[in-house]
Amino acid sequence: MSAPATRPPGLPSLPATFRPTLTRVVLLAVGAATFVVITVIALILENLGPGERASFVLVALLFFGVLALLSRPHITVDEDGVTVVNITRTRRLAWAEILRVNLRAGDPWVFLDLSDGTSMPALGIQPGMAKERAIRDARTLRALAEFHGSGVNDATENG
């Protein structure tokens, strides 16, 4: 569905990406620091053999990989729809598929109510460390969904 020529004020230019930046920075910094510390310890300890040193570094790399995976979520919007990238899955949605964007008090992230009757978590907007930004991003995503969507969602003022 192509968007009308008149865009309401306050909507970002597309494409746009929403991500929990502070959470991402913390996860990647902790992962990198842990990797460095464990690797240095493996190299400093004199009574470790090469296999044991390698196992230390491998565990550190595995830990960093898990934290990098946890820092992956984001939501990218463009004129054609929304791409939701969660921890291990990516899903592309057309604007018409999104009926409602929800971020209620106490929710760990945004939920998208879809036209097939399901609700999908969108971890790219999380109020954990940056609540005000998450609320602003959720409102922006809601406004974009209403602007580009099918017009089915007329009462979406929950948060």
Side-chain angles (χ1 to χ4, degrees):
M1 170 182 227
S2 68
T6 58
R7 180 180 210 85
L11 290 183
S13 59
L14 299 181
T17 300
F18 304 102
R19 71 173 68 234
T21 305
L22 184 58
T23 301
R24 181 179 170 88
V25 167
V26 168
L27 287 169
L28 293 175
V30 167
T34 304
F35 176 78
V36 168
V37 168
I38 292 175
T39 301
V40 167
I41 288 172
L43 297 174
I44 291 175
L45 292 176
E46 296 173 2
N47 57 349
L48 292 181
E52 293 169 318
R53 288 181 205 277
S55 68
F56 266 71
V57 173
L58 183 63
V59 167
L61 190 58
L62 182 64
F63 184 72
F64 179 76
V66 168
L67 292 181
L69 196 60
L70 290 173
S71 73
R72 183 175 181 252
H74 64 276
I75 301 166
T76 302
V77 296
D78 58 34
E79 294 293 337
D80 298 323
V82 178
T83 302
V84 178
V85 178
N86 286 332
I87 295 172
T88 59
R89 291 190 174 208
T90 299
R91 183 164 174 195
R92 177 75 181 165
L93 300 166
W95 285 113
E97 291 180 80
I98 302 171
L99 301 179
R100 189 173 184 142
V101 177
N102 294 306
L103 180 60
R104 294 176 291 265
D107 280 352
W109 41 70
V110 162
F111 288 91
L112 305 176
D113 291 341
L114 305 179
S115 60
D116 65 1
T118 62
S119 181
M120 177 182 172
L123 281 64
I125 300 176
Q126 304 174 4
M129 290 186 180
K131 185 176 182 178
E132 298 305 318
R133 179 176 177 182
I135 291 169
R136 185 177 65 245
D137 288 350
R139 286 181 177 152
T140 301
L141 182 59
R142 179 182 298 142
L144 285 166
E146 289 173 356
F147 178 69
H148 290 282
S150 62
V152 176
N153 48 350
D154 40 30
T156 59
E157 289 301 318
N158 278 3

